[in-house]
Amino acid sequence: MKITQDQSIRQDWDQTKSWNYKLKHVNCYQSVVYAEVVNDHGEVHTNDVERIYYIVDGEGEFVIGEDLTIVAKGDVFTIPPHTVYNYHSLPGQTLKVLLLMELWDNK
């Protein structure tokens, strides 16, 4: 099934732009989210499903508790279920990510 950017749901906040491609036809209902993060994304948490980030471009840092991991273009970073985390771009950068996650359906 093809989903165009025009069919995605645009959900922006602060300096983050995101496009939510809802995959309701896939078992366990998932979303593919493309986001461009400048500075801080803001704290979020996972539910029952691991989240998978592919770093499309830029450099940034993911923070889980006291652990800080630097990511760059081409990296994949996973967040375990039931985890509170945050991430941000490095100064002067736009961190572009592709996120596979549980269905994000806050219309």
Side-chain angles (χ1 to χ4, degrees):
M1 176 179 178
K2 178 180 177 179
I3 304 171
T4 66
Q5 188 176 38
D6 290 340
Q7 295 169 311
S8 69
I9 306 300
R10 184 72 185 263
Q11 294 171 302
D12 299 343
W13 62 95
D14 298 327
Q15 295 182 40
T16 299
K17 299 177 185 176
S18 75
W19 293 260
N20 182 351
Y21 297 79
K22 297 180 181 188
L23 304 175
K24 292 184 178 182
H25 66 286
V26 175
N27 289 343
C28 76
Y29 305 111
Q30 300 212 11
S31 286
V32 175
V33 178
Y34 171 77
E36 298 177 356
V37 179
V38 176
N39 298 321
D40 191 49
H41 174 274
E43 189 173 90
V44 291
H45 68 279
T46 58
N47 294 315
D48 296 330
V49 179
E50 185 171 40
R51 292 185 180 174
I52 303 167
Y53 285 86
Y54 173 74
I55 309 306
V56 176
D57 198 21
E59 294 179 286
E61 297 174 329
F62 278 78
V63 181
I64 301 175
E66 300 293 319
D67 296 328
L68 185 137
T69 303
I70 296 174
V71 296
K73 181 179 180 178
D75 290 346
V76 170
F77 191 75
T78 62
I79 308 289
H82 308 290
T83 301
V84 176
Y85 68 101
N86 194 356
Y87 62 101
H88 58 268
S89 63
L90 293 184
Q93 301 246 350
T94 298
L95 182 62
K96 298 177 181 180
V97 300
L98 188 65
L99 165 61
L100 300 151
M101 64 179 287
E102 69 279 1
L103 184 64
W104 180 20
D105 204 15
N106 57 341
K107 298 176 184 177

